[in-house]
Amino acid sequence: MNITKEQIDDLNAVVKVAISKEDYQDKVEKILKDYRKQANIPGFRKGQVPMGLIKKQYGKAVLVDEVNKLLQDNLNKYLTEEKLDVLGNPLPKQQDDFDWDKDNLDFEFELGLAPSFDVNLKTKKAVTQYKIVADKKMIEEQVERIQKQYGKLISKTEVGNKDEITGFFANEEEEIDHKTTIEVDKIKSKKAVDALVGKKVGDTVTLNTKGLFKEDYLLPSALGIAKDKADGLKIDVIFTIEEINEREPAVLEQELFDKLFGEGNVSSEKELKDKIKEDSEKQFEQQSDQKLLNDITEKLIDETKFELPSEFLKKWIQISGENPLTEDEAKEEFEKSEKGLRYQLIEGKIIQENELQVQFDELKEFAKGFIKSQMAQYGHIDPKEEELENVAARVMSNQDEVKRLSEQLMSQKLLDLYKEKANLKVKEVSYDDFIKEAYS
């Protein structure tokens, strides 16, 4: 067997594979002999079928199968040994006059080659790195929410402006019949508030769903319907009052602090606010980091210029899927995926040049950190090391989980690298300003 490469240009090449009869004959003969031993053809005893008949019936199929195996194994080996960085997979060139009856078989494959380029993390224009701070207003609102959440319910006879009302929403036509609890101060519609205030247990009120709540997410849960059904819903619903309560705010004292943060970790209102600020800003950091990662990605794609073997990739997309595409469909699919492919190449270059790797031990520690944060969300603040080890071992035995965590850890390594080497400008903002500025 002989394999040679013809370079068409920097991004395209053709690999030629010449296979002689000696490369495949022994293997084909052995398989046909095995077929003969097992063949069960009327008129012949088992194992006594003439070899000529076996070759006539199975010879071509066995030959094609064995030659294709040879091609695949040796072509992959050649690409690896020659260190050819290919995009997609080699595409066999159409040969209209190909003859499987010849002793010597010649094949040609088109290759799309990865471009050569440099990545400069010091982009021309600085990328904004947002530092989100929890301002006084946000901290006070969080304290109020805590006091409300852990406060005491006091039964009332009439609805007031800050009460909680438990009752049933109903609309026969839309099949709505749902028990829920609503808070008057979360209702946006002044008409609805006026209709509710002063009402008693057993009273019914007709409310319109359009603009009923200050936050859109409250409507589907209140009515017991899907979000997509609630979007733009404008109907009248009957609300029947079953229970009216006023929530007396919890006192900011040690018992509440211990319940929230563990015994002795917080011992005053000031420490509570400091803890809220610290925890909030830690959560905000995840959002600002994701924003930074997205913005640097966009900037690197924009400023790192290189050509792709576009025609090859369109052809590869056209024939490589489960269902072949038309030329126009393949072109459209390429245009959709081009940006992602460009960053995949850029990211691969950055990882290689900066020798970023994910080691098993650090992946395990990363998994334990992820598990610990998940446990904290469910109130399990300080799990034992043995418990973390056991859960991490189960997670690490799942290949899909390992892949997902590896990708997350590599993203974190890239983010750390960008923070160290990229052209960044830090901007301190409140959370509300971050949302307005970053996602407007």
Side-chain angles (χ1 to χ4, degrees), residues 13 26 42 64 69 109 181 188 230 290 326 329 348-349 388 417:
D26 289 347
V64 171
K69 286 179 184 176
F109 294 87
T181 298
K188 180 180 180 181
Q290 188 59 55
T326 66
E329 287 171 336
K349 183 95 170 173
L388 286 174
L417 179 72

Side-chain angles (χ1 to χ4, degrees), residues 256-271:
L256 178 61
F257 301 152
D258 290 347
K259 186 183 291 185
L260 290 170
F261 303 106
E263 191 172 344
N265 290 318
V266 169
S267 56
S268 68
E269 184 176 340
K270 181 183 181 303
E271 288 184 14

Side-chain angles (χ1 to χ4, degrees), residues 357-397:
Q357 295 179 344
V358 172
Q359 305 289 350
F360 179 81
D361 287 344
E362 63 180 346
L363 182 61
K364 185 178 177 183
E365 288 304 311
F366 182 76
K368 284 161 67 175
F370 178 77
I371 293 161
K372 193 172 182 179
S373 66
Q374 291 287 303
M375 287 180 168
Q377 290 181 20
Y378 294 96
H380 195 359
I381 305 294
D382 192 21
K384 293 180 180 178
E385 181 64 21
E386 183 181 355
E387 187 177 2
L388 286 174
E389 283 282 345
N390 290 336
V391 178
R394 289 199 298 273
V395 170
M396 297 291 281
S397 68

Side-chain angles (χ1 to χ4, degrees), residues 139-149 249 276:
I139 294 169
E140 292 294 343
E141 287 175 349
Q142 183 65 12
V143 170
E144 286 179 19
R145 277 196 288 273
I146 289 171
Q147 288 184 280
K148 193 171 185 179
Q149 181 181 349
I276 289 172

Side-chain angles (χ1 to χ4, degrees), residues 183-319:
E183 299 175 42
V184 178
D185 61 2
K186 290 186 177 178
I187 294 174
K188 180 180 180 181
S189 166
K190 185 177 183 303
K191 185 177 179 181
V193 173
D194 291 342
L196 286 165
V197 171
K199 292 295 186 292
K200 300 179 180 179
V201 172
D203 288 347
T204 60
V205 181
T206 300
L207 305 172
N208 192 276
T209 58
K210 183 174 173 58
L212 181 59
F213 294 104
K214 293 176 181 177
E215 302 290 344
D216 291 340
Y217 74 89
L218 293 171
L219 184 62
S221 60
L223 300 182
I225 60 175
K227 181 182 179 299
D228 57 351
K229 184 177 179 180
D231 289 343
L233 189 66
K234 187 180 179 181
I235 59 169
D236 286 334
V237 287
I238 305 299
F239 184 67
T240 303
I241 300 172
E242 284 197 340
E243 190 179 333
I244 306 165
N245 291 296
E246 176 185 3
R247 192 173 287 271
E248 183 180 273
V251 178
L252 297 177
E253 57 185 9
Q254 195 61 47
E255 184 182 351
L256 178 61
F257 301 152
D258 290 347
K259 186 183 291 185
L260 290 170
F261 303 106
E263 191 172 344
N265 290 318
V266 169
S267 56
S268 68
E269 184 176 340
K270 181 183 181 303
E271 288 184 14
L272 170 67
K273 291 179 178 179
D274 289 344
K275 182 66 174 169
I276 289 172
K277 180 178 174 66
E278 178 189 342
D279 290 350
S280 297
E281 290 180 355
K282 194 175 291 184
Q283 291 180 1
F284 296 156
E285 189 176 350
Q286 293 176 359
Q287 286 180 268
S288 64
D289 280 352
Q290 188 59 55
K291 173 66 176 166
L292 178 62
L293 198 57
N294 293 344
D295 288 348
I296 290 180
T297 297
E298 291 292 330
K299 188 65 69 178
L300 288 172
I301 292 171
D302 184 54
E303 293 193 9
T304 307
K305 305 297 184 184
F306 54 83
E307 296 296 321
L308 289 170
S310 304
E311 293 308 312
F312 169 85
L313 289 170
K314 290 173 193 173
K315 192 186 299 184
W316 176 69
I317 288 170
Q318 186 177 358
I319 66 173

